[in-house]
Each structure stands twice: as C-alpha cells, then as structure tokens.
Amino acid sequence: METKSENRCFGGLQGVYSHPSKSTGTEMTFGLFLPEEANDGPVPVLWFLSGLTCTHENAMTKAGAQAFASEYGIALCFPDTSPRGDDVADDEAYDLGKGAGFYVNATEKPWAPHFRMWDYVAEELPELLGKSFPIDLDRQAITGHSMGGHGALTLAMGLPGRFRSVSAFAPICSPTQSDWGTKQLGAYLGPDKSTWAAHDATLLMQDRGLDAPLLIDTGTDDQFGDLLKTEALASAIATRRQPATLRMQKGYDHSYFFVSTFIPDHLDFHAEALFA
Amino acid sequence: METKSENRCFGGLQGVYSHPSKSTGTEMTFGLFLPEEANDGPVPVLWFLSGLTCTHENAMTKAGAQAFASEYGIALCFPDTSPRGDDVADDEAYDLGKGAGFYVNATEKPWAPHFRMWDYVAEELPELLGKSFPIDLDRQAITGHSMGGHGALTLAMGLPGRFRSVSAFAPICSPTQSDWGTKQLGAYLGPDKSTWAAHDATLLMQDRGLDAPLLIDTGTDDQFGDLLKTEALASAIATRRQPATLRMQKGYDHSYFFVSTFIPDHLDFHAEALFA
C-alpha cells in the first residue's frame, strides 16, 4: 500500500492511499479520514460511496463530513467509483465505464476483467482497512450520493448484518426502470434482467427489506429527479413498513451543496447507531 | 358559549367549551389549551384533529401536547369528530356516524342535516376562536391522528395559505381506495366519486400539492397499516417532489402511546413554522 498524501484535519488525519487490488486487477485509490480517537484504539467507520464521474476525492473534499465525524470519533472511507488505468475499458459517455462502476461485478465484455466494484467495496477494501488501520469492522455504517446512494442501499440490503445504519443522498432508487441503470446494468451484467434485481434498491426493498435504520434525503429541485425514481422506493418502504425516514428537501438540487447541508444530520444519525 | 371546565395546566389553561353550531345544527364541544403567553396577547394555534371514536377529549388527555405547546407559547384546539345528540343520525358501526365525521359536509340522507364537519372545522370554529380567545388566526398549524390525520391533510390542501405547517400521525392517506373511506365517503357524499377527490390526501397531493412544510409519522407495527395506504401518499409526495418528511417509526402501533412519543417532534416542527 502506498501513501499518496496525509493531511492533519479536525484533529485527526485525512489520508489518501493506493494499493494493487485483487478484485479489479488495477491499482485502486481511496481516501480515509481517521479521527483523533483512532490513536487510542479501533474506531467505527462510515463508508461514503460517490456518484457518477467522481473519484475518491470529490466527497472527501466537498461533503464536509470530517468536521462532524471528528466530533463523534468516526472514521470515513471514500472509495473510488471504478477501476482506472490505460488498460481499463471505457466509454465516451460520462455514465458508463470509468467513474461509473455502479457497484456491481461485471460479467460482460469488455467490462468483466476489471469492473468488479461490488467485490472491491464489499470484501477487499473492508479487509484491507481492518488489517492496516485502527478500524472496528464490527461497527460499520454506509452512505452515498446518487450512484453511490444506490451502492449504499444495495450493498446494505445485499449484506444483511453488515451495516448498523444506512443513509443516502439523492440515491438512484430503481436502476432497472431508469436511464440511470438500464444502460449500465445491461452493459455490465448482460440482457438477463434476473441478474439486475440484486442491484435495484426498490426491488430489494420489496423482496427482503433492510435490517438497519435508514435515512434518505433528496432535493425537490434535483435536476436529475426523474432519473432517481424516488417514488418507487418511497412506495416500497411504506408498503413493507420498513423503518425509515425519507425527506424531500425543499429547493435543494443534486450538488455537493445539497450533500454538505445535510451531512451533519447524517453523521448524527449514524453516530446514534454506531455508538448504541 | 358555555364553559364546561377550566384547569390550570403547564402554566396556562386547559379549557373545555361548548356552543351551538350553525354548521352542524347541534351543540358542539371543543378543548382549547391556552399557554401562559396568551395573557399578554394573541398566540398561534395548532389544531389537533382526532380519529375514529374520539371526542374532543382523547387527544387533550392522552397526547401530551400541552407540555411542549406551553414551552413554545402555542395554543392547542381539539375539536370533536362529529355532531352529537339524540336527533343526530348514527350507525351501529364504530366507523360511521357519531365519532366518524371524516371532516366532510355530508350531502346524503340521513347524514346531511348535521354532518358538516368540514364547514365546522374550516370556518365556524376558527372564527369563534378568533372572536372569543387571544388566538392569532394568521398563525395556524394543523395536525391529526388517523381519521384526523386525513382531516389535517385534506383541510390543508383544500385551504391553500391557511396553515403554516402540516403534520399527521398515522393518517388515513387515501380513503377512496381503503375500507376506511369508501364506506364513509359513499354514505356521506353519495356514489359520485368525483365528489370524493377533495377528501383524499393522495389525490390532492397528485393534483395540487401542499403549500406548507409537511411531517408524517406512521408506525411500522400499526395494526391498521393496511387501511392507511401510506404507500400511495409516499409515492405521490416523491413524484410531486413535495417538500416533506415521512418517517416509518419502528415498532410503533396506532395508539396514543405512539402519538405521545412523537408529539415533541411535531411541536418542534410546527413551532419552527409558526415563529418563522
């Protein structure tokens, strides 16, 4: 593992590290904020999965999460959103290929060799964190933005018992019925839609639900609102009687200005579960 | 107007009053909590509309709202849920007739003469409060439980500009598609369903939305959950991108133990709008 940078931040340390990944067969980079409390022993961790076009860096620099994570003594991990490198397949569109891994294991050409972001985020990176840093893997929580919200929701429902709390900012809620989803799931997983269901938060909510508290914020002025299919997940949550809070936030859009506004609430929410 | 009782309560006064009503043609009884601040001038008011089988008394004695209304200096008004008296039509069922007015103006026999709860709550009682008590009618908010949640939502969407904030506990969300609704709207309004739409929160949300902040709490273990149709309103809110917070509260049922648990949050929510 290589240290790309380390900066003192809110009494703790904001690091950026890279490592050769078994899952993707590429060098992968991630951001990790360790609060001051990590000097005394393992701390809980909140994963932040990012959206389309993002790297590990966007949320790390723009979400403002460290200020509140440091108050509670929570680590923050910011994975990348896809494999990178010259030999990694890509597409001219911003929403397919690099920066658009959709947190799945691709089975189709040309994506299958490297686009295994589910395995990377679900298995490899947590294992690496537990071995290399003072992180308490018994206390994990997850959040994400847009495509990363999709990732947070699908990972949480796909890995029961893993996360003590789950939240999302403007998540893609039903990729099987959105242009943010059908194109990508078709490309990565192929035309057999039965393989898509494990990556659709609404279908997962209908089928199995979530074993952790859930908080979702989405802006009423989200410029991508039609692509998110929030109404499908809202209906599924109410029908299942899933414990959850869904907030339609007046006037907010899809940007990090929206995310940073509600990050304090999300850290409060996750802290309550992580320190219960 | 007759004073039935007045009790000192959280530094203010919990009164119960009755008066002959033009709307219903009967004597009507209501509860009114005035906080201590009412001694110095008009105070804002939060309406609490009650559910099936309730009188003015249930929420007044069991919701625990006075503790928090007194902290903010907010009056609370608890209307009855139907006309009462020997010459008022009734039905053997608990959910039709007395205690089940559904906040509509009945047009059908035998209900039409007295069951005019919309007019009573929307027009007559506010006017009476404004004339007889130090209530600031420019600062009104509304909440309700079950059938009263239905009333709060439909009154608020039917009277744009009236309420600065709107909340509900386990509201009936779509009476036109529930056994808590089709029977009553059919009885009171007749078979022409076009007249029902003004009394269906989901249809109103689809058609016009709400011009005020909205908070809804419903328990995941609500024993009447199937009758509430929360999923229909949740979908309509998200589709419309209506500013709102919908919370599915883990393990709570339909009782006043549920209502009293979240009354503090609702008073906080309404106070923010009433004192903005």
Side-chain angles (χ1 to χ4, degrees), chain A residues 211 219-227 230-232 234-239 241-251, chain B residues 219-227 230-232 234-239 241-251:
Chain A
D211 60 349
T220 62
D221 289 12
D222 192 308
Q223 60 270 46
F224 304 108
D226 290 345
L227 293 164
T230 311
E231 61 278 11
S235 178
I237 286 170
T239 299
R241 307 190 198 167
Q242 170 73 45
T245 295
L246 170 63
R247 306 192 299 189
M248 298 296 293
Q249 298 285 9
K250 185 175 182 177
Chain B
T220 62
D221 289 11
D222 192 309
Q223 61 269 46
F224 303 108
D226 290 346
L227 293 163
T230 312
E231 61 278 12
S235 177
I237 286 170
T239 299
R241 305 189 198 167
Q242 170 72 45
T245 295
L246 170 63
R247 308 192 297 188
M248 297 296 293
Q249 297 286 8
K250 185 176 182 177

Side-chain angles (χ1 to χ4, degrees), chain A residues 29-265:
Chain A
T29 303
F30 64 94
L32 180 68
F33 170 74
L34 288 175
E36 192 170 15
E37 287 81 351
N39 295 327
D40 302 322
V43 294
V45 61
L46 172 63
W47 295 84
F48 190 111
L49 303 188
S50 291
L52 289 166
T53 76
C54 290
T55 68
H56 68 283
E57 192 176 11
N58 302 62
M60 183 181 86
T61 57
K62 296 198 292 187
Q66 295 91 343
F68 306 96
S70 67
E71 287 185 14
Y72 285 116
I74 295 171
L76 300 167
C77 186
F78 305 96
D80 203 346
T81 62
S82 78
R84 310 276 176 182
D86 291 343
D87 61 339
V88 172
D90 201 6
D91 188 277
E92 287 186 1
Y94 76 99
D95 59 359
L96 188 67
K98 291 177 186 172
F102 260 78
Y103 306 100
V104 303
N105 293 331
T107 55
E108 304 299 298
K109 291 182 182 175
W111 313 106
H114 301 297
F115 282 78
R116 301 189 63 81
M117 290 302 293
W118 178 280
D119 278 358
Y120 178 67
V121 173
E123 303 302 334
E124 184 176 3
L125 191 51
E127 190 182 326
L128 180 66
L129 290 194
K131 279 197 309 197
S132 309
F133 299 97
I135 299 289
D136 177 3
L137 294 181
D138 288 334
R139 288 185 291 163
Q140 298 186 60
I142 193 163
T143 188
H145 173 224
S146 193
M147 177 185 73
H150 147 78
L153 293 168
T154 55
L155 280 157
M157 285 186 275
L159 300 167
R162 171 74 62 94
F163 301 103
R164 294 203 183 183
S165 49
V166 182
S167 76
F169 299 86
I172 299 174
C173 293
S174 193
T176 64
Q177 52 177 315
S178 168
D179 287 344
W180 272 358
T182 54
K183 171 183 169 180
Q184 294 85 355
L185 297 179
Y188 297 144
L189 303 178
D192 176 4
K193 293 191 178 182
S194 68
T195 65
W196 299 11
H199 302 285
D200 184 292
T202 296
L203 296 177
L204 287 165
M205 183 60 69
Q206 291 169 352
D207 181 50
R208 58 171 79 176
L210 177 62
D211 60 349
L214 173 62
L215 170 64
I216 296 173
D217 277 314
T218 295
T220 62
D221 289 12
D222 192 308
Q223 60 270 46
F224 304 108
D226 290 345
L227 293 164
L228 301 179
K229 305 297 177 194
T230 311
E231 61 278 11
L233 184 57
S235 178
I237 286 170
T239 299
R240 189 176 189 86
R241 307 190 198 167
Q242 170 73 45
T245 295
L246 170 63
R247 306 192 299 189
M248 298 296 293
Q249 298 285 9
K250 185 175 182 177
Y252 287 89
D253 59 27
H254 201 72
S255 71
Y256 270 96
F257 296 112
F258 156 67
V259 173
S260 61
T261 300
F262 297 103
I263 270 284
D265 291 357

Side-chain angles (χ1 to χ4, degrees), chain B residues 118 142 151-163 166 209-211:
Chain B
W118 178 280
I142 194 164
L153 293 167
T154 54
L155 280 158
M157 285 186 275
L159 301 167
R162 171 74 62 93
F163 301 103
V166 181
L210 177 63
D211 61 349

Side-chain angles (χ1 to χ4, degrees), chain B:
Chain B
M1 195 167 60
E2 182 186 345
T3 300
K4 311 289 279 188
S5 63
E6 288 185 330
N7 297 85
R8 186 85 166 152
C9 181
F10 287 98
L13 192 70
Q14 178 61 62
V16 176
Y17 310 94
S18 73
H19 66 111
S21 163
K22 299 187 307 269
S23 306
T24 66
T26 65
E27 188 80 4
M28 291 294 291
T29 302
F30 64 93
L32 180 68
F33 170 74
L34 288 176
E36 192 171 15
E37 287 81 352
N39 296 326
D40 303 322
V43 295
V45 62
L46 172 63
W47 296 83
F48 189 110
L49 303 187
S50 291
L52 289 166
T53 77
C54 290
T55 68
H56 67 282
E57 192 176 10
N58 302 62
M60 183 180 86
T61 58
K62 296 198 293 185
Q66 294 91 343
F68 307 95
S70 67
E71 287 185 13
Y72 284 116
I74 296 173
L76 300 167
C77 185
F78 305 97
D80 203 346
T81 61
S82 78
R84 308 275 176 183
D86 291 342
D87 61 338
V88 172
D90 201 6
D91 187 277
E92 287 185 1
Y94 76 98
D95 59 358
L96 187 66
K98 292 177 187 173
F102 261 78
Y103 306 99
V104 303
N105 293 331
T107 55
E108 303 300 298
K109 291 182 182 174
W111 314 106
H114 300 297
F115 282 78
R116 301 189 64 80
M117 290 301 293
W118 178 280
D119 279 358
Y120 178 68
V121 172
E123 302 301 335
E124 184 176 1
L125 190 51
E127 190 182 325
L128 179 66
L129 289 194
K131 279 197 307 196
S132 309
F133 300 96
I135 298 289
D136 177 4
L137 293 180
D138 288 335
R139 289 185 292 165
Q140 298 186 61
I142 194 164
T143 188
H145 173 225
S146 193
M147 178 185 73
H150 146 77
L153 293 167
T154 54
L155 280 158
M157 285 186 275
L159 301 167
R162 171 74 62 93
F163 301 103
R164 295 204 182 180
S165 48
V166 181
S167 77
F169 299 86
I172 299 173
C173 294
S174 192
T176 65
Q177 53 177 315
S178 168
D179 288 341
W180 271 358
T182 53
K183 171 183 170 181
Q184 294 84 355
L185 297 179
Y188 297 143
L189 303 178
D192 176 5
K193 294 192 178 181
S194 69
T195 64
W196 299 11
H199 301 286
D200 185 292
T202 296
L203 296 176
L204 287 165
M205 183 59 69
Q206 290 169 353
D207 181 51
R208 58 172 78 174
L210 177 63
D211 61 349
L214 174 61
L215 170 63
I216 297 173
D217 276 314
T218 295
T220 62
D221 289 11
D222 192 309
Q223 61 269 46
F224 303 108
D226 290 346
L227 293 163
L228 302 179
K229 306 298 175 194
T230 312
E231 61 278 12
L233 183 58
S235 177
I237 286 170
T239 299
R240 188 174 190 86
R241 305 189 198 167
Q242 170 72 45
T245 295
L246 170 63
R247 308 192 297 188
M248 297 296 293
Q249 297 286 8
K250 185 176 182 177
Y252 287 90
D253 58 28
H254 201 71
S255 71
Y256 270 96
F257 296 111
F258 156 67
V259 174
S260 61
T261 300
F262 298 104
I263 269 285
D265 291 357
H266 286 240
L267 264 295
D268 290 348
F269 166 77
H270 289 294
E272 188 174 342
L274 290 171
F275 296 104

